[in-house]
């Protein structure tokens, strides 16, 4: 023996550190291929169908008179808007599918970060969790433990705001300096006007 006691079980798996993926991260070749595949699939299988469907529905609503067409440009502005919204809705709807594809990659730091992020979110409250270096830490305490003591320290550090009582009365709820008084203007039979 080397003089130190080893308390780990012989078959215990040593957890790998969570990779930090920042703006300077350079994806691997396999990750680049997966990005291109996700981009193509989201375009052809989600964005194009949703854009076309939203344009057809918009044109149908315009032709039935439910939506009005522009007096100068006709239905073109509404169709372009529907196309753009359908395109982005298609891209956003494919995000979860693309994340799952990255999670299934074997030797991918990005896939590992996504997998570890999923387990971190699903852990019950009060457990240890590692935060990103970009997370804000208001209280200045350790960001690894969630406890009632840490919550009370945070509450003491934050400013306390008293609720403002609500009043349904018009006189109490209007700011000072603004009045609802409307000057009465009188007009005689000759068209002369004066204030009261």
């Amino acid at each position: 023996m080397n003089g130190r006691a080893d308390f780990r079980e012989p078959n215990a798996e040593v957890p790998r550190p969570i990779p930090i993926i920042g703006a300077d991260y350079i994806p691997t070749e396999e990750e680049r291929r997966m990005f291109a595949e996700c981009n193509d699939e989201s375009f052809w299988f989600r964005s194009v169908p949703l854009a076309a469907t939203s344009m057809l529905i918009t044109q149908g609503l315009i032709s039935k008179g439910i939506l009005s067409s522009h007096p100068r440009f006709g239905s073109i502005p509404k169709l372009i808007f529907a196309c753009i919204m359908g395109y982005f809705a298609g891209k956003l709807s494919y995000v979860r599918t693309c994340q799952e594809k990255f999670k299934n990659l074997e030797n991918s730091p990005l896939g590992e970060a996504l997998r570890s992020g999923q387990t971190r979110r699903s852990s019950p409250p009060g457990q240890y969790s590692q935060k990103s270096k970009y997370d804000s830490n208001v209280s200045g305490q350790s960001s690894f433990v969630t406890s009632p003591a840490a919550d009370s320290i945070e509450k003491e550090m934050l400013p306390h705001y008293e609720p403002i009582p609500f009043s349904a009365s018009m006189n109490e709820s209007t700011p000072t300096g603004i009045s609802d008084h409307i000057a009465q203007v009188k007009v005689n039979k000759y068209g002369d006007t004066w204030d009261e």
Side-chain angles (χ1 to χ4, degrees):
M1 287 223 144
N2 58 7
R4 293 186 296 177
D6 192 8
F7 293 108
R8 287 183 287 175
E9 293 182 26
N11 294 334
E13 186 177 309
V14 178
R16 295 188 335 200
I18 300 170
I20 297 176
I21 307 294
D24 57 346
Y25 174 72
I26 299 172
T28 64
E29 196 61 40
E30 191 176 3
E31 289 171 343
R32 286 187 188 131
R33 183 186 56 77
M34 190 61 66
F35 275 124
E37 182 180 315
C38 283
N39 194 25
D40 287 345
E41 288 179 0
S42 68
F43 179 76
W44 291 111
F45 299 126
R46 300 283 176 94
S47 291
V48 169
L50 280 174
T53 303
S54 63
M55 288 174 65
L56 286 172
I57 290 171
T58 303
Q59 184 59 44
L61 292 173
I62 290 172
S63 62
K64 285 187 177 185
I66 296 172
L67 290 177
S68 62
S69 61
H70 192 272
R72 181 174 174 191
F73 301 112
S75 63
I76 299 296
K78 287 187 173 71
L79 291 177
I80 290 173
F81 180 75
C83 179
I84 291 170
M85 290 296 109
Y87 173 80
F88 284 116
K91 287 288 187 180
L92 287 174
S93 71
Y94 203 73
V95 168
R96 293 267 186 218
T97 307
C98 195
Q99 283 179 347
E100 290 301 320
K101 287 184 175 194
F102 274 102
K103 287 177 186 177
N104 293 334
L105 287 177
E106 285 300 317
N107 295 322
S108 166
L110 187 57
E112 180 66 29
L114 287 171
R115 284 190 294 272
S116 65
Q118 180 183 15
T119 58
R120 188 175 38 197
R121 265 185 255 121
S122 63
S123 64
Q127 296 291 324
Y128 295 105
S129 66
Q130 184 176 2
K131 287 189 174 184
S132 168
K133 66 179 180 179
Y134 300 109
D135 288 347
S136 64
N137 192 1
V138 176
S139 67
Q141 302 296 319
S142 172
S143 63
F144 293 103
V145 178
T146 301
S147 68
D151 291 340
S152 66
I153 292 172
E154 283 186 17
K155 288 178 184 174
E156 290 173 8
M157 298 293 285
L158 295 174
H160 297 286
Y161 294 105
E162 295 296 324
I164 299 172
F166 176 75
S167 173
S169 167
M170 287 298 287
N171 294 343
E172 294 176 4
S173 64
T174 56
T176 58
I178 298 175
S179 66
D180 292 335
H181 175 71
I182 300 172
Q184 297 291 328
V185 178
K186 297 265 182 171
V187 180
N188 64 9
K189 63 181 179 179
Y190 303 109
D192 298 329
T193 59
W194 67 92
D195 291 335
E196 279 196 359

